[in-house]
Amino acid sequence: MSQTILIETNDDLKKIYSLNLNTFVGTDVIYRQNADDALALLRILPQVSLIITEARVGEEETAQKIHQYIKQEALNTNMIVMGDCPGLAREVVCLKEPVSWESLIRQAASHLGVTIQDSINRVKPDYLPVGLYYFYDIQRTPCDVYIRIKKGPSDYQYVKRIHSKDVFDKTVIKKYEDQGLKEFYIPKDYIQYFTTFVTNNLVAKLEQDDLSLEERILTTANAHDIVRDTIQQIGLDQATIDLADAAINSMVKSVQNSPEVANLLKFLFSNKVSYAYQHCHLLALMCHYVLSKQTWYKTEHLQILSFVSFFSDVTLKSHQQMQISSMREFAESNFTDEERQQVMTHALDAVKLMDHHPDADDYIKTVLIQSHGKMDGIGFEDDPSEELHPLSRVFIISDCFVKILLNPALPSTKKDILPILAARFTNPSYQKIIKVLEQKFV
């Protein structure tokens, strides 16, 4: 799949352009805020096929700056500029504002070599897939639900399996799962209605005070997976923010009342909780333990680090990407260029995502961008400095500990993990955190 950088400051237009570029042109859209952001990405990923940008962002001559870099580096990257660009009119496509998505798609398709027939073939079908985990915490749906049966190489039949008035429970869904089914299908006209229905049900359940610890963990894990799924498809909207907030508050409750780590690990693995949530929950638990041993600890610190634990890897698409915690591991990975770019910038991408979250304050954004030891949120620092925020240092050590613990190819006992951390993190404050972990907690 080709990759396109999009610089558009209007959030509504950004969503419209992105959706249609992906649907009709089949290009992977990467958001950037200005020229500096785009150039930082181009240095990592010079094979980006197309850049679509506003002529100016604020006082910045965005298009001019990017075009100059492309010429200087002799990159094979096309540009479409939205707005008045007299100095570039002979060298790039300039679209007069307001820019319709139809004209933008036509130009993008031309640059990327996509034909009309290609676009027709990419139009979404009448039914859209949703993971079975969307059904774990509901007993009915607002619409009919289907399974897909293959009839030929590119021919499918959709068979109704759950009616809108049916009542069911998780055991019914598990039976489908045990048969190898991974997703149901929803009529495309109902998909937004369905996801809103599921989100509202999950938020209501997470806010209950009488959930057992096990049920709270499983429900929160389900909410976490749905938030990740939604963010990667459409971004962070208000319904997703509400679900994420309810899930984070629920996770804080369960972390404060979690069983011993060994028992918690057994529970997480035996219930097939996703790697993403295993990491998220254990990370929040380890942060809580380290924080509880600090003289400066305040209750809001757990909320901050739980928030960061929840969102730190939310833009990554595989557990293999989430396992990376150093530049050595990154260099040894077999990721595609697109996956490598996602790993390299995911801390920065998470911070940019927080621009749409009203409760993401400077503390949260600081710890997020420093979550791998780098001040700019790009890449990994193998031996982070003392300049990082104290909460960032707690997060970094806890994150590395959990990633080792969850990796079946690495040591799984505290006795073997702590020497690895001590050898890597040599600065005094990090060594003190590692010393805290020597105390009994398993």
Side-chain angles (χ1 to χ4, degrees), residues 283 286-287 290 371 384 391-404 417-418 421-422 424-427 429-435 437:
L283 178 51
M286 295 302 298
C287 288
V290 174
S371 58
L391 290 178
S392 301
R393 297 176 221 159
V394 171
F395 182 88
I396 288 167
I397 295 296
S398 301
D399 180 55
C400 193
F401 184 98
V402 170
K403 284 178 177 173
I404 295 173
I417 295 174
L418 294 186
L421 299 182
R424 174 178 169 182
F425 301 99
T426 62
N427 284 310
S429 65
Y430 298 86
Q431 291 284 319
K432 288 181 180 179
I433 295 171
I434 295 168
K435 285 286 185 184
L437 294 177

Side-chain angles (χ1 to χ4, degrees), residues 143-180:
C143 59
D144 295 333
V145 177
Y146 298 75
I147 61 171
R148 188 175 73 170
I149 299 174
K150 191 167 187 177
K151 297 177 65 178
S154 59
D155 186 20
Y156 296 94
Q157 179 182 1
Y158 294 87
V159 180
K160 191 182 298 183
R161 277 291 178 261
I162 301 176
H163 293 75
S164 60
K165 295 182 180 180
D166 287 351
V167 176
F168 55 88
D169 58 23
K170 192 173 180 178
T171 59
V172 173
I173 306 305
K174 284 293 187 182
K175 286 180 181 178
Y176 283 104
E177 198 168 56
D178 292 342
Q179 294 169 9

Side-chain angles (χ1 to χ4, degrees), residues 366-400:
T366 296
V367 180
L368 261 178
I369 205 163
Q370 296 178 0
S371 58
H372 293 300
K374 302 285 285 187
M375 291 290 193
D376 59 1
I378 299 176
F380 303 83
E381 183 61 58
D382 288 337
D383 191 10
S385 74
E386 299 283 17
E387 296 178 11
L388 300 187
H389 193 282
L391 290 178
S392 301
R393 297 176 221 159
V394 171
F395 182 88
I396 288 167
I397 295 296
S398 301
D399 180 55
C400 193

